Amino acid sequence: MSAFALEVADLWAGYEPDLPILRGASIRAAAGEIVVLLGPNGAGKSTLVKAIAGLVAISAGRTSLDGAEITHLPAHLMVRHGLAYVPQTDNVFVAMTVDENLRLAAFAGAGAERRARTESVYALFSELAAQRRRPAGHLSGGQRQMLAIGRALMVRPRVLILDEPSAGLSPRLVETVFAKLAEIRAGGIAILLVEQNARAALAIGDRAYVLVEGRERHEGPAASLWHDPEVARLYLGGLAAGDSESTP
Ligand SMILES: Nc1ncnc2c1ncn2[C@@H]1O[C@H](COP(=O)(O)OP(=O)(O)O)[C@@H](O)[C@H]1O
Ligand SMILES: [Mg+2]
């Protein structure tokens, strides 16, 4: 059995046949680990997670979950194999209530199982429990992000992929959402976290990659990446280098 819940090896993918966006990207995430994916705008972070989720055509390379290949699996079958992907936008049904959003998650089980899963999501996100009959469109940005994560958890994934869950949230809400990710990690799920918010992401992450031009250029424990002067200067806005206040 593979030691890694998610393994991506030498992946090539893109939107047009002659224009690869991913150029040999390789990343891994183990169960119970938060892996952060950083990189400049346009580096291919979203393309990488969409390719893993079966939403962008892969031209070469391999993706696997717990050692089982999922490279060319269609997106709608990914959840059945234990992979849940939360897109950056349009990740909840705004006209439906919180409860309906959770209950209608694909592969969420039936009857008692579905109710148990719904309640475990409410146990994690008590704010959602208080609003279960409200339309998702009426939630705050932070609550909506929690609902999107809750929907993903309804399928009991082994790998959870999130594309910039902190986008548009206040620093306090980012902290709240990331604290929930740490709780989810404690349940043994592998989390791949795409982020612009390097400071907050490296503070909770275990390992991190910096993706540049469709390939990982730096890789390491989150804390050491934070302290790498080149990484700090190029991709973290120079926040970390020589600045003891910035230690996550
Ligand atoms: N749907 C699409 N069709 C064509 N090109 C796209 C599409 N989505 C993204 N791209 C291009 O792919 C490159 C990588 O984008 P993306 O993966 O969104 O980067 P990131 O998430 O790191 O900011 C960019 O040059 C972008 O213009
Ligand atoms: Mg992106």
Side-chain angles (χ1 to χ4, degrees):
M1 205 190 109
S2 166
F4 289 91
L6 174 68
E7 198 153 7
V8 175
D10 199 17
L11 209 67
W12 289 72
Y15 304 92
E16 291 163 54
D18 301 326
L19 196 65
I21 302 297
L22 300 180
R23 300 161 173 264
S26 300
I27 62 165
R28 295 161 152 189
E33 183 177 53
I34 294 179
V35 172
V36 178
L37 186 60
L38 303 170
N41 244 331
K45 303 179 297 296
S46 293
T47 303
L48 175 53
V49 295
K50 282 183 206 162
I52 296 168
L55 298 166
V56 169
I58 293 170
S59 53
R62 187 176 193 274
T63 56
S64 58
L65 277 180
D66 287 332
E69 181 163 8
I70 56 162
T71 315
H72 297 292
L73 215 59
H76 70 279
L77 293 182
M78 289 294 180
V79 282
R80 198 181 282 178
H81 285 74
L83 183 126
Y85 158 68
V86 181
Q88 187 174 352
T89 55
D90 301 324
N91 50 23
V92 300
F93 295 108
V94 290
M96 293 184 187
T97 65
V98 167
D99 216 51
E100 286 164 344
N101 265 278
L102 293 179
R103 284 189 289 112
L104 295 176
F107 301 101
E113 173 64 17
R114 186 175 305 219
R115 279 193 296 279
R117 292 185 185 195
T118 308
E119 290 312 316
S120 72
V121 169
Y122 287 142
L124 180 65
F125 297 115
S126 55
E127 274 186 60
L128 291 182
Q131 317 228 41
R132 58 176 87 195
R133 309 222 185 285
R134 292 191 80 195
H138 293 188
L139 299 177
S140 70
Q143 290 165 346
R144 203 189 278 211
Q145 219 38 268
M146 290 177 202
L147 179 58
I149 297 169
R151 278 176 53 81
L153 293 176
M154 287 294 290
V155 307
R156 295 264 150 101
R158 282 169 292 144
V159 174
L160 174 63
I161 300 181
L162 305 143
D163 196 352
E164 299 199 27
S166 79
L169 301 187
S170 69
R172 194 183 55 81
L173 274 174
V174 173
E175 210 169 288
T176 307
V177 171
F178 281 14
K180 295 299 177 188
L181 296 184
E183 276 185 55
I184 294 166
R185 165 179 58 190
I189 294 176
I191 300 178
L192 178 60
L193 176 61
V194 175
E195 266 300 332
Q196 288 287 343
N197 193 336
R199 175 192 284 260
L202 290 177
I204 62 150
D206 298 292
R207 285 189 310 112
Y209 295 88
V210 179
L211 196 73
V212 180
E213 291 172 9
R215 235 195 125 106
E216 73 288 354
R217 185 175 292 179
H218 299 274
E219 175 194 355
S224 70
L225 216 67
W226 180 262
H227 290 292
D228 181 311
E230 196 211 339
V231 170
R233 185 173 59 81
L234 289 175
Y235 314 116
L236 308 179
L239 282 171
D243 174 7
S244 60
E245 290 298 307
S246 68
T247 301

